[in-house]
């Protein structure tokens, strides 16, 4: 039991090294890692959920697990979808967690299933946080001179479902990424 949990812990560590590959298409030489993306997405999910009247803890938890399958696939950019069969996250998660103890296996699988089916307010908040994190990252990259980020910004805005996430996106578009220092 402990061996399988330790092994899975090592696998999850890969998320700190797997780069968000779509940013290479925009000209980012050293893009953020999936782990970095997931951390801010989880933090944003908690904030969005709090404002939407959902459970911040659950939304953050779902966001933490939303990209863990990328330890097995890497981060596939949108341009690859046309050529590759899109992996089913729940199938990958089932494989990743097959040797875990029952409670841990169910915990992870249930979180990924809830996120993928968007079957709760928390899952909607977590998905919005994923999109909003991408929008913020695009604005930060643009602020340091990366020019080809508009499609990421537009895609993120179109995908937002909650009123809170839409308002945060609107505000982010009017603020400088460094404006937090002035608050």
């Amino acid at each position: 039991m402990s061996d399988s949990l330790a092994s899975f812990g090592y696998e999850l560590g890969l998320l700190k090294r797997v780069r968000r590959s779509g940013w290479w298409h925009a000209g980012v030489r050293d893009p953020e890692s999936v782990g970095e993306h997931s951390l801010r997405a989880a933090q944003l999910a908690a904030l969005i959920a709090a404002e939407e009247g959902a459970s911040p803890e659950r939304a953050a938890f779902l966001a933490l697990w939303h990209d863990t399958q990328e330890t097995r696939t890497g981060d596939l950019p949108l341009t690859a979808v046309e050529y590759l069969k899109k992996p089913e996250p729940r199938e990958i998660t089932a494989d990743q967690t097959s040797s875990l103890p029952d409670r841990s296996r169910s915990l992870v699988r249930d979180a990924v299933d809830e996120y993928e089916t968007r079957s709760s307010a928390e899952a909607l908040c977590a998905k919005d946080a994923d999109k909003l994190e991408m929008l913020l990252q695009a604005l930060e990259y643009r602020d340091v001179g990366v020019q080809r980020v508009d499609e990421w910004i537009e895609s993120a805005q179109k995908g937002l479902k909650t009123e809170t996430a839409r308002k945060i996106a609107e505000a982010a578009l009017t603020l400088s990424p460094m404006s937090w220092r002035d608050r």
Side-chain angles (χ1 to χ4, degrees):
M1 172 176 72
S2 297
D3 288 354
S4 64
L5 290 169
S7 292
F8 191 48
Y10 279 127
E11 180 175 347
L12 292 172
L14 293 172
L15 296 172
K16 296 190 292 183
R17 296 190 298 276
V18 173
R19 297 288 163 198
R20 302 260 296 162
S21 62
W23 294 120
W24 284 317
H25 294 266
V28 177
R29 290 180 189 256
D30 186 25
E32 65 174 336
S33 71
V34 173
E36 291 166 323
H37 160 75
S38 294
L39 172 63
R40 182 160 61 173
Q43 293 165 329
L44 290 168
L47 298 174
I48 294 167
E51 297 302 319
E52 292 287 319
S55 167
E57 298 84 359
R58 184 69 183 168
F61 186 74
L62 299 178
L64 278 174
W65 294 101
H66 86 280
D67 277 341
T68 54
Q69 306 79 19
E70 293 180 9
T71 63
R72 302 282 174 101
T73 65
D75 178 50
L76 299 173
L78 191 57
T79 54
V81 173
E82 185 177 331
Y83 306 102
L84 302 172
K85 177 185 173 261
K86 185 177 181 335
E88 168 51 52
R90 287 169 283 209
E91 289 177 17
I92 297 169
T93 299
D95 187 46
Q96 286 176 310
T97 60
S98 63
S99 65
L100 293 181
D102 291 343
R103 285 187 293 243
S104 294
R105 182 174 52 245
S106 293
L107 179 83
V108 175
R109 288 180 181 182
D110 291 349
V112 171
D113 184 60
E114 183 178 342
Y115 178 84
E116 291 299 324
T117 59
R118 312 289 186 270
S119 59
S120 66
E122 291 79 10
L124 292 173
C125 293
K127 181 61 178 177
D128 272 7
D130 177 40
K131 294 287 187 187
L132 188 58
E133 198 288 325
M134 180 177 70
L135 181 140
L136 293 173
Q137 187 63 67
L139 292 171
E140 290 167 350
Y141 285 145
R142 184 170 70 188
D143 195 53
V144 296
V146 178
Q147 297 301 313
R148 297 183 305 260
V149 297
D150 290 346
E151 68 183 272
W152 281 268
I153 295 168
E154 291 168 21
S155 171
Q157 282 183 287
K158 287 179 187 173
L160 297 174
K161 304 293 184 213
T162 64
E163 185 64 26
T164 300
R166 287 193 293 269
K167 286 181 179 178
I168 294 170
E170 288 174 24
L173 289 165
T174 64
L175 297 171
S176 160
M178 294 304 286
S179 66
W180 61 269
R181 296 190 307 181
D182 302 329
R183 300 215 176 262

